[in-house]
Amino acid sequence: MSQGASVVPFEVDASCVAYATGERAKACTVREVLDRVGGKWSIGIIVEASQAPVRFTELERTVEGISRRMLTLTLRNLERDGLLTRTVYPTVPPKVEYRATPMALELYDTLVALTGWADRHRETIAAARDEYDREHGAAVA
Amino acid sequence: MSQGASVVPFEVDASCVAYATGERAKACTVREVLDRVGGKWSIGIIVEASQAPVRFTELERTVEGISRRMLTLTLRNLERDGLLTRTVYPTVPPKVEYRATPMALELYDTLVALTGWADRHRETIAAARDEYDREHGAAVA
DNA sequence: CAGGATCCTGGCTGATACTG
DNA sequence: CAGTATCAGCCAGGATCCTG
C-alpha cells in the first residue's frame, strides 16, 4: 500500500489495472469475474461448498433467504464458470452434490478474509452510518 | 433482503456464521457490509482511494465506465459507511478529495487478493464458460 | 429431491440536463 | 470542478405453479 508516491497515476498491480481499465478481448474482465463472485448469493454458496459437498436442499436451508430460483440460477452460473462441480446420483430420490473446484477453494481464504473484515467492522460501519445520517438530513435508508 | 436467523450446520468461523445466519440486531449484517463493498463500483473506488487521495474528476477518469451519477452515489455511500473521507477545499474551482479510511485501507489487501484471483483465473473461467455452453445447448447468458 | 417455467416488481443504473 | 435532478429501462430477484 504505497502512499508516498505523489504523482501516482497508479502503482497498482496488474490485476487492479486490468480491473480499472476494463481490459477485455482476452478473456473475462476482472469485473466480469467479480460480478459473478460478488453476486448476492455466490459467496455464501461458495463458502458452503468449500466445507464439504453440499446438496441442493442443504443449501436451500443453509443459505438463508435464498429462493429456490436464485439458488438454481446461482448454482448454474457458478458451475458454468467452473467454480462448482455438479454431481448427480441417479438414485430414486434424486441426489445432487455440489462441491467447490480447486479454483474456488483457492478463493476461499480470500472470502473468509473478506467476511472476516466485514464482521470485524460491522459495528463501526453501523456507527458511521448513524452519525452520517444524524449530521446530514437523516433518512437515507 | 430480509433474513431470519437460524442454525448453521457447518463448522465455519464466526464471520461466515454471521454471514450465513444473517445475524442482525447488533449492527450491520455481514451481508449488508458485503453488499456495499460488492457494489459494482465500490471496489474500484476503494482501490483508487487507497493509493492516494483522489479527486472527483480523477475517479471519473480512472474508474472506467462509471457515470457521474453512480460515482456520486457510490462515493456518498462509502463515505456514509466510514470507508472514505471527503475533504472539501473551498477554493474557487471547488476541489474535493476522497481518501480511504484506515478501515478501508485494512480492506485493501483483501481486495487486491480478490482482484488478483480474478485476474489469474479469468482465462480459465472463460474457458470453463465456453465449454459449458458448448456442452449444454449454449445460450445461457 | 431437484429442478424448470412464468409472471411481476423494485431498485440499480445510465443518459441527459441543470447549478453553485 | 463537483456535483444535483429527473426520467426511463433493464434485470436481479421473489412468488408461484409445474415435473422427471
Side-chain angles (χ1 to χ4, degrees):
Chain A
M1 248 180 283
S2 54
Q3 263 181 294
S6 47
V7 184
V8 66
F10 28 69
E11 186 65 5
V12 201
D13 60 26
S15 58
C16 292
V17 171
Y19 178 79
T21 59
E23 140 191 336
R24 38 188 68 244
K26 277 192 207 169
C28 298
T29 309
V30 171
R31 155 150 307 131
E32 289 181 293
V33 177
L34 290 183
D35 278 349
R36 169 98 339 131
V37 174
K40 191 174 180 184
W41 309 106
S42 301
I43 295 184
I45 292 177
I46 293 176
V47 167
E48 291 301 326
S50 293
Q51 314 295 313
V54 271
R55 303 183 56 178
F56 188 88
T57 311
E58 234 173 317
L59 285 170
E60 203 174 359
R61 279 172 303 143
T62 312
V63 184
E64 291 271 321
I66 195 170
S67 66
R68 188 159 293 179
R69 174 187 142 85
M70 286 318 295
L71 179 54
T72 302
L73 283 180
T74 309
L75 246 21
R76 284 292 167 281
N77 280 326
L78 291 176
E79 186 198 354
R80 187 163 97 106
D81 287 359
L83 292 172
L84 292 183
T85 59
R86 178 172 178 269
T87 313
V88 182
Y89 299 89
T91 56
V92 175
K95 176 181 176 183
V96 180
E97 271 188 357
Y98 295 91
R99 71 184 63 195
T101 62
M103 180 165 61
L105 285 175
E106 195 180 320
L107 181 61
Y108 180 77
D109 290 335
T110 304
L111 293 186
V112 169
L114 194 60
T115 55
W117 177 89
D119 192 45
R120 285 198 307 280
H121 295 291
R122 340 182 281 173
E123 300 190 4
T124 308
I125 289 179
R129 197 174 290 189
D130 283 349
E131 189 187 325
Y132 184 94
D133 290 348
R134 222 176 307 115
E135 292 181 356
H136 308 64
V140 184
Chain B
M1 175 180 35
S2 53
Q3 306 179 248
S6 77
V7 191
V8 176
F10 293 118
E11 189 60 18
V12 200
D13 63 25
S15 58
C16 291
V17 170
Y19 177 79
T21 60
E23 145 189 332
R24 39 185 69 245
K26 276 192 207 167
C28 299
T29 308
V30 171
R31 155 149 307 131
E32 288 181 294
V33 177
L34 290 182
D35 278 349
R36 169 98 340 130
V37 174
K40 192 174 180 182
W41 308 106
S42 302
I43 294 184
I45 293 177
I46 293 176
V47 166
E48 291 302 325
S50 294
Q51 315 295 314
V54 272
R55 302 183 56 178
F56 188 88
T57 312
E58 235 173 317
L59 285 170
E60 203 173 1
R61 280 171 304 142
T62 312
V63 183
E64 295 266 324
I66 195 170
S67 66
R68 187 160 293 179
R69 174 186 146 83
M70 285 319 295
L71 180 54
T72 303
L73 284 180
T74 310
L75 246 22
R76 286 290 168 281
N77 280 325
L78 291 175
E79 186 199 353
R80 186 163 97 106
D81 287 359
L83 292 172
L84 293 183
T85 60
R86 179 171 177 270
T87 312
V88 182
Y89 299 90
T91 56
V92 174
K95 176 180 174 181
V96 180
E97 273 187 356
Y98 295 91
R99 72 183 65 196
T101 62
M103 179 165 62
L105 284 174
E106 194 181 320
L107 182 61
Y108 181 78
D109 289 335
T110 304
L111 293 186
V112 170
L114 194 59
T115 55
W117 178 89
D119 192 45
R120 284 198 308 281
H121 293 293
R122 336 182 287 171
E123 302 190 2
T124 308
I125 290 179
R129 198 175 289 189
D130 283 349
E131 189 186 325
Y132 184 94
D133 290 349
R134 222 176 308 114
E135 292 182 355
H136 309 61
V140 183

